[in-house]
Amino acid sequence: DTPALASYQNFFASSQSTKTTTTMAVQGLELLKMVVSCGLLIFSLIVVHALIIDEQTNLSENVHPALAAVALWGALLWLSMVEGSQASMVGLPPV
């Protein structure tokens, strides 16, 4: 082996390990973002459902709280479908 070839192989190996470390760091950050996002979503759903059960929202004051909860989930599902179809209509790549 020539010194130039050995130097190139060492550079390539260190470059690969840097890419692997960077990729792992990015994957770790993505996982952290997903965990925090899911945690905040669950927290907000608990708070909203607690308000509905205690009849502290306009809808749950006027109708049964169970109907208010069904209306909440219906609205959330409808909104998610509308947002999903809007992204597909403009040709955005999936996230």
Side-chain angles (χ1 to χ4, degrees):
D1 289 331
T2 63
L5 180 60
S7 174
Y8 175 76
Q9 289 172 342
N10 288 339
F11 174 76
F12 184 71
S14 67
S15 174
Q16 287 295 98
S17 67
T18 303
K19 287 180 183 177
T20 304
T21 305
T22 304
T23 304
M24 289 175 54
V26 168
Q27 289 175 348
L29 287 175
E30 289 294 321
L31 178 64
L32 178 65
K33 286 186 339 185
M34 286 190 290
V35 168
V36 169
S37 296
C38 287
L40 290 173
L41 176 65
I42 291 169
F43 173 74
S44 66
L45 286 172
I46 289 171
V47 168
V48 170
H49 280 88
L51 290 172
I52 288 174
I53 291 170
D54 288 341
E55 296 182 1
Q56 294 182 2
T57 64
N58 288 335
L59 184 60
S60 64
E61 285 177 357
N62 298 327
V63 297
H64 194 272
L67 183 60
V70 169
L72 169 73
W73 280 100
L76 286 174
L77 290 173
W78 175 76
L79 181 63
S80 65
M81 288 188 281
V82 168
E83 289 293 328
S85 64
Q86 181 182 7
S88 66
M89 286 172 55
V90 296
L92 296 175
V95 178

